[in-house]
Amino acid sequence: HSAYMLDSVASKLVGKFKVDYFLTKILPSQNDSHILTLPHPDNICIWNLKESREIFRLGKKVENSDTISISIDAPFISNALFNGRETLIYSIDNSWATGTIHIFDIKQNRELDQFDSRNGHLCMDVDFQKNRIAMTGTSIDVAIVDFKGNTLAELKKAALQRITLVQFSPDGK
């Protein structure tokens, strides 16, 4: 299998990656220097766009791979966001029950923290400059928490139906 990254503005191929798994999502890093792939089953891979190679893997190790690997026992990895340097934030959903958010340092190869996501099927966005996460899930509530899970702001009953996307504005407000 192969994954291709295209620059839609310049209409050119940016990168091609040989993958040994089925991809469920491909996500850009916050500074567009890397991409994250969420392959099945339950891995997170970080690829350097300039070098067109995998630099980090969190999950099940593939034979003959020289990438770092730590086992994830996860029902479903729903989100993964990378700041392009060292911090990876990902969430593990537990169906409609409460899941977890994980803060991981890829340079130190260790988890810095994890906390209850307060919701299943989590939708989130990360502001890496201010170390905060906006999140919602199967409810109509929205919360902003710090990287330890402490509530910074919360809006109960923010909508009439389930909220499916949260995102910080470019100015961070």
Side-chain angles (χ1 to χ4, degrees), residues 36-115:
L36 285 76
T37 58
L38 301 184
H40 180 76
D42 298 320
N43 288 321
I44 300 170
C45 301
I46 300 175
W47 301 79
N48 182 307
L49 281 173
K50 286 183 182 174
E51 299 173 11
S52 292
R53 71 177 184 91
E54 182 181 306
I55 62 161
F56 180 80
R57 179 179 297 224
L58 188 63
K60 297 176 179 122
K61 187 157 179 81
V62 175
E63 288 184 40
N64 302 322
S65 174
D66 61 354
T67 58
I68 298 167
S69 179
I70 292 175
S71 179
I72 300 175
D73 182 17
F76 178 65
I77 298 170
S78 57
N79 301 281
L81 298 155
F82 179 56
N83 69 350
R85 292 179 303 281
E86 69 281 332
T87 306
L88 168 67
I89 297 179
Y90 65 97
S91 63
I92 296 177
D93 280 0
N94 190 8
S95 188
W96 293 99
T98 302
T100 54
I101 294 177
H102 301 260
I103 315 296
F104 196 92
D105 186 314
I106 72 160
K107 297 221 187 271
Q108 296 179 28
N109 196 30
R110 70 179 186 95
E111 187 167 80
L112 301 175
D113 214 336
Q114 80 171 38
F115 54 90

